[in-house]
Amino acid sequence: MSELGHKGWIDKAAAIRFRDKAFIDGKFVAARSGRTFASINPATGETLAEVASCGEEDVDRAVASARRAFASGSWSRATPARRKEVLLRLAQLLHENLHELALLESLDMGKLVADAATIDVPGSAGIFQWYAEAIDKLYDEVAPTGSGDLVLVRREPLGVVGAVVPWNFPLDMATWKCAPALATGNSVVLKPAEQSPFSALRLAELAMEAGLPAGVLNVVPGLGETAGQALGRHMDVDCLAFTGSTAVGKMFLQYSGQSNMKQVWLETGGKSPNLVFADCGNLDAAADMAAFGIFFNQGEVCSANSRLLVQRSIKDAMVEKLAERAAATQPGDPLDPASKMGALVDARHAANVMRFVEAGKKTARLVTGGEQVTVNGRGSFVQPTIFDNVSPQDTIAREEIFGPVLSVIAFDDEDEALQIANDSVYGLAASLWTDSLSRAHRIAERLHAGTVSVNTVDALSPMTPFGGFKQSGFGRDLSLHALDKYTALKTTWIKY
């Protein structure tokens, strides 16, 4: 990535080709209805392509293709060595096509191309590689029984997995679902967000190039109320994995009950607290990571550290440091490696973020930011915004904004900090800063969150599970635990 400057990325963007059709049974096909939707570059407002808008009939085709592929055994009964070989090759192809995939991410949803090229695409390749390497290292069980009985406990693939993923990390989130589902032998029907379909379509094409049989990975771009709902209600989908809003997650639970009781695994909203105690010896590091935790990816992160809880004696010093970092993190052209923040995903989302900002101006002190801006006269950009003197009951402290908006809340002691941190309908992630090992363990134990990061923010790895409590959903992405979502236990009892 480093060899490409601003002009280099612009030149590559001018030559890029967008896959604009559904990918079903190993081929790109138009929606049966002929309908399309516009995919728009949020940094410029320009239409990138008219993309096939799949409906119920297209989802039926994709599910039928996935079921045929599963029943054929071409992937579901392939040897672990073969599945490992294909997914390792796919990981390599992601690396080989890094520039193209990074541009698809950036042009489609506004993220910095530098981040996509150094974080998103290599991260996705790493996850496919990690699950590929795990395939032939997982063992089934032999249950303890008496003489004359042999009892085998095996994990078997479920069949057809539906995956509905969001627009904030299009390739990453598709990978988080597809890698473990494919590693365990399932077929997948993937519905990317309508705001960001291109990297998912390219992923499916690269998977075929890597050797994945036709029908094992299908991609149905379309709107949530059509393609998403059709997948959620489908009678021949065995499992539905979803990352997105809590409201839509609840709808998928309803769809399951209204159809075939398919398993539904949800990773939904968050309002993650970041607690900074006065015994934190490196406030500059805490400020650096607090700024990263809310401004990275324009704040469009489900686990963004959007509530900063600071012990009162150091609060003013912390706010001053954060204001300096916000000033250095202004929006710019996402294709310019020098830019520090990209565009929000679309004009509608930017307007929604600004509604929260305007509400915050009425109840808290605006420290910096608070304006919607343009870059070169175009685009959906919002300044990094910090509010101080926020009440834990304020709207901006309770609702998920999904933008670069930070609420600073003061506390006096541990109990008050924990009460504020846990007073949320969400429980996805939390962070804390302290130089006391005892305090770190004490606070981490009492925080109601799926991941607690100590002296850093939002820590994750393919080796550790990611997911939350309460209305942040259930089930876990990443780690070996993700394989549990896509497999079922089968007992075979043999008398001899």
Side-chain angles (χ1 to χ4, degrees):
M1 192 280 295
S2 58
E3 77 276 8
L4 283 180
H6 192 188
K7 184 179 183 302
W9 283 114
I10 290 174
D11 291 344
K12 281 187 173 290
I16 202 163
R17 179 167 74 92
F18 299 106
R19 278 71 176 171
D20 58 5
K21 294 181 171 57
F23 193 83
I24 298 175
D25 205 26
K27 302 181 290 293
F28 284 109
V29 295
R32 283 279 171 86
S33 67
R35 293 191 180 95
T36 62
F37 61 89
S39 184
I40 297 171
N41 181 345
T44 65
E46 297 171 339
T47 297
L48 299 169
E50 292 288 337
V51 182
S53 185
C54 292
E56 186 174 346
E57 190 175 6
D58 305 296
V59 171
D60 285 345
R61 282 196 292 165
V63 172
S65 171
R67 180 61 66 189
R68 285 194 303 273
F70 184 78
S72 76
S74 61
W75 184 252
S76 59
R77 295 194 295 277
T79 64
R82 175 58 182 162
R83 281 184 276 130
K84 174 181 177 177
E85 176 187 20
V86 171
L87 294 189
L88 284 176
R89 176 60 182 147
L90 177 54
Q92 183 60 36
L93 286 171
L94 292 179
H95 281 297
E96 292 174 9
N97 292 273
L98 183 146
H99 287 166
E100 178 193 9
L101 290 163
L103 277 169
L104 292 176
E105 299 285 89
S106 178
L107 295 172
D108 220 4
M109 60 74 58
K111 72 166 65 227
L112 296 177
V113 74
D115 284 348
T118 58
I119 300 172
D120 298 50
V121 181
S124 292
I127 288 168
F128 270 110
Q129 180 178 348
W130 195 86
Y131 280 106
E133 293 287 2
I135 289 172
D136 58 4
K137 300 170 183 66
L138 298 172
Y139 292 80
D140 294 318
E141 302 171 15
V142 176
T145 57
S147 178
D149 293 299
L150 176 64
V151 180
L152 310 177
V153 181
R154 303 185 62 194
R155 284 204 168 273
E156 297 194 350
L158 294 174
V160 177
V161 172
V164 180
V165 297
W167 45 257
N168 57 334
F169 293 94
L171 181 61
D172 261 340
M173 293 298 98
T175 297
W176 284 23
K177 309 302 184 191
C178 291
L182 293 173
T184 46
N186 295 282
S187 297
V188 178
V189 179
L190 171 65
K191 202 226 59 97
E194 56 264 34
Q195 296 90 341
S196 57
F198 296 130
S199 58
L201 291 164
R202 185 69 175 117
L203 173 66
E205 189 176 34
L206 291 174
M208 285 283 292
E209 184 180 336
L212 199 70
V216 174
L217 176 58
N218 306 272
V219 181
V220 285
L223 307 183
E225 56 266 31
T226 51
Q229 182 175 170
L231 202 54
R233 291 182 183 275
H234 206 286
M235 295 295 291
D236 202 29
V237 170
D238 300 292
C239 169
L240 194 291
F242 171 75
T243 294
S245 73
T246 295
V248 175
K250 292 177 180 180
M251 293 172 69
F252 278 112
L253 289 174
Q254 294 178 45
Y255 298 156
S256 173
Q258 293 162 357
S259 56
N260 62 341
M261 292 177 59
K262 62 178 64 63
Q263 296 182 36
V264 176
W265 299 104
L266 304 176
E267 194 270 284
T268 51
K271 193 69 178 175
S272 300
N274 182 10
L275 288 62
V276 183
F277 289 89
D279 65 356
C280 171
N282 192 342
L283 272 189
D284 284 318
D288 286 341
M289 294 306 291
F292 173 82
I294 186 59
F295 300 143
F296 172 65
N297 208 52
Q298 304 75 246
E300 296 168 325
V301 182
C302 56
S303 52
N305 285 225
S306 54
R307 292 185 293 153
L308 181 64
L309 282 56
V310 189
Q311 199 150 19
R312 199 174 304 275
S313 62
I314 60 168
K315 195 258 297 178
D316 289 345
M318 187 68 173
V319 169
E320 182 178 345
K321 291 178 184 295
L322 282 165
E324 294 171 358
R325 286 151 177 80
T329 315
Q330 295 302 307
D333 183 351
L335 297 185
D336 186 350
S339 295
K340 303 301 182 184
M341 183 183 290
L344 296 187
V345 70
D346 58 27
R348 184 174 65 174
H349 181 57
N352 190 54
V353 169
M354 288 307 300
R355 280 193 287 271
F356 282 107
V357 170
E358 294 306 317
K361 290 177 180 178
K362 296 175 182 177
T363 60
R365 180 176 76 88
L366 177 64
V367 175
T368 187
E371 299 295 333
Q372 184 169 351
V373 297
T374 60
V375 172
N376 300 321
R378 302 184 295 179
S380 300
F381 298 86
V382 171
Q383 294 176 327
T385 299
I386 300 172
F387 286 103
D388 191 13
N389 300 331
V390 177
S391 164
Q393 302 309 313
D394 287 350
T395 297
I396 58 171
R398 303 199 69 78
E399 295 191 29
E400 186 176 34
I401 300 174
F402 223 65
V405 182
L406 179 65
S407 296
V408 180
I409 303 169
F411 67 84
D412 291 307
D413 55 35
E414 284 187 13
D415 287 339
E416 184 183 14
L418 283 162
Q419 191 279 323
I420 296 170
N422 289 331
D423 183 20
S424 173
V425 299
Y426 301 113
L428 184 54
S431 300
L432 70 105
W433 294 79
T434 177
D435 284 359
S436 165
L437 181 61
S438 295
R439 171 172 278 157
H441 282 293
R442 197 164 56 238
I443 299 298
E445 186 178 88
R446 295 176 62 191
L447 284 167
H448 299 161
T451 297
V452 178
S453 304
V454 179
N455 293 337
T456 185
V457 300
D458 211 14
L460 60 83
S461 159
M463 295 172 285
T464 56
F466 181 89
F469 304 152
K470 299 188 281 187
Q471 292 190 47
S472 289
F474 46 85
R476 293 295 184 265
D477 288 315
L478 303 179
S479 81
L480 294 178
H481 296 284
L483 302 174
D484 296 340
K485 300 190 298 188
Y486 306 116
T487 56
L489 291 174
K490 175 185 281 186
T491 299
T492 302
W493 195 301
I494 302 168
K495 297 193 77 69
Y496 64 92

